[in-house]
């Protein structure tokens, strides 16, 4: 994608270990993914670079399938196109990797063109605790989880709702979201894994959903309690936000190229629920 002044919009596909980062967004005096990436890109392209991301992640949250874009002078892009990924591997620290860098199609916007984001949250509910080698990316939960109870509670949250009970409010931002998928399964190592997919997420939403589901899965709360919390549309002190290290952004999905502009226009509209 190129505009009239010769800039090229470059799509970046990346992953990172969030352990040592204060989240995605650049913050003065703190190590962030955005700050680290923009510094490497500025060195690569020899110009100031501003990166737009599909979904900002909190401190300690990881990503395997994050997507971002940057608008770059055409001459800078053409000089680096063939070697951008290899050179970025040398410029970035080992806890961030850009896996792909290519011109984006017309209408692409990493944030507003996305149709969904998919996260996974991994829990080790072994009474012995988490394996020491997985402690940086798996939550150790001290009680056994019943996947049947987790599924029953999760189904109550699917669909379009006001998720104010599971979000940290931001001035002027809506908390209406469409939760497309929320289910639990055991992986090959016996971990309980929540797969959470929505058109978009508000601040701390995934971790709040998981934090509310864990006491349902271990029998401390009935599944119906989650429906009551959702309908209240207010933060509930009984809903704990799950720790960040168990959460991974796995994938961001986009529509076909010819539908990108329409998706961007739709995503920019402020949503309300039917009265």
């Amino acid at each position: 994608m190129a505009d009239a002044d010769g800039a090229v919009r470059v799509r970046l596909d990346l992953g990172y270990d969030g352990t040592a980062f204060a989240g995605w967004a650049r913050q003065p005096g703190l190590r962030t993914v955005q700050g680290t990436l923009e510094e490497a890109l500025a060195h690569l392209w020899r110009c100031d670079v501003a990166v737009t991301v599909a979904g900002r992640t909190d401190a300690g949250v990881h990503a395997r399938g994050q997507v971002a874009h940057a608008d770059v002078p055409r001459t800078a892009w053409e000089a680096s196109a063939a070697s951008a990924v290899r050179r970025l591997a040398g410029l970035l620290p080992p806890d961030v990797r850009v896996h792909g860098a290519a011109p984006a199609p017309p209408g692409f916007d990493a944030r507003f063109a996305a149709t969904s984001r998919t996260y996974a949250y991994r829990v080790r509910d072994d009474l012995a605790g988490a394996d020491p080698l997985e402690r940086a990316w798996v939550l150790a939960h001290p009680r056994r989880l019943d996947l049947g109870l987790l599924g029953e509670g999760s189904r109550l949250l699917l669909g379009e709702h006001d998720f104010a009970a599971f979000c940290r409010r931001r001035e002027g931002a809506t908390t209406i979201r469409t939760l497309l998928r929320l289910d639990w399964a055991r992986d090959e190592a016996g971990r309980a894994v929540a797969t959470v997919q929505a058109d978009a997420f508000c601040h701390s939403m995934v971790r709040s959903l998981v934090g509310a589901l864990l006491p349902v899965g271990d029998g401390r709360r009935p599944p119906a309690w989650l429906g009551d919390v959702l309908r209240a549309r207010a933060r509930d002190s009984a809903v704990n936000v799950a720790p960040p290290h168990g959460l991974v952004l796995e994938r961001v999905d986009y529509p076909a190229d010819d539908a990108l502009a329409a998706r961007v226009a739709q995503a920019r509209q402020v949503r309300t629920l039917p009265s």
Side-chain angles (χ1 to χ4, degrees):
M1 174 180 177
D3 59 25
D5 65 5
V8 176
R9 176 157 293 182
V10 177
R11 171 174 168 160
L12 302 164
D13 292 86
L14 65 150
Y16 46 87
D17 177 345
T19 304
F21 288 105
W24 166 267
R26 180 186 285 276
Q27 302 176 61
L30 296 177
R31 184 175 188 257
T32 66
V33 183
Q34 182 182 18
T36 300
L37 178 61
E38 287 180 349
E39 288 173 12
L41 293 172
H43 187 88
L44 174 68
W45 290 323
R46 301 186 183 280
C47 63
D48 292 336
V49 178
V51 172
T52 297
V53 74
R56 295 183 177 186
T57 49
D58 294 337
V61 175
H62 315 296
R64 195 190 318 271
Q66 181 69 279
V67 180
H69 78 250
D71 294 330
V72 187
R74 176 176 292 280
T75 54
W77 168 249
E78 290 178 346
S80 68
S83 59
V85 170
R86 176 181 57 79
R87 291 172 63 187
L88 284 170
L91 293 168
L92 288 165
D95 48 1
V96 187
R97 277 294 171 268
V98 170
H99 304 298
F108 181 82
D109 183 294
R111 177 185 176 190
F112 289 110
T115 54
S116 68
R117 289 90 171 159
T118 302
Y119 285 84
Y121 197 101
R122 294 172 174 85
V123 182
R124 174 71 72 181
D125 57 343
D126 191 313
L127 299 183
D131 183 324
L133 296 180
E134 62 183 32
R135 68 187 184 278
W137 53 280
V138 179
L139 175 68
H141 188 69
R143 300 176 178 87
R144 291 293 292 176
L145 296 170
D146 183 318
L147 295 192
L149 292 175
L150 287 169
E152 186 177 345
S154 296
R155 286 188 289 274
L156 298 175
L157 304 171
L158 293 173
E160 185 181 50
H161 305 285
D162 186 340
F163 284 94
F166 300 97
C167 296
R168 293 181 183 174
R169 285 190 177 274
R170 289 181 172 176
E171 189 67 29
T174 181
T175 50
I176 298 171
R177 298 290 188 270
T178 302
L179 190 59
L180 302 167
R181 180 181 176 186
L182 176 53
D183 54 55
W184 293 77
R186 296 277 178 189
D187 66 12
E188 69 284 352
R191 308 177 194 98
V193 182
T195 300
V196 192
Q197 182 183 40
D199 57 348
F201 292 95
C202 45
H203 192 212
S204 296
M205 180 175 163
V206 180
R207 291 166 55 204
S208 295
L209 290 170
V210 172
L213 279 159
L214 290 176
V216 171
D218 64 29
R220 287 177 290 155
R221 293 272 188 178
W225 170 72
L226 290 166
D228 295 337
V229 171
L230 178 67
R231 287 187 291 272
R233 300 187 183 183
R235 292 288 291 183
D236 191 317
S237 60
V239 175
N240 294 316
V241 179
H245 67 279
L247 186 60
V248 179
L249 174 58
E250 298 283 352
R251 192 177 75 248
V252 182
D253 291 313
Y254 294 92
D257 291 354
D258 61 1
L260 287 168
R263 173 58 188 163
V264 169
Q266 179 188 35
R268 289 182 180 277
Q269 297 177 359
V270 177
R271 286 188 289 184
T272 59
L273 289 173
S275 58

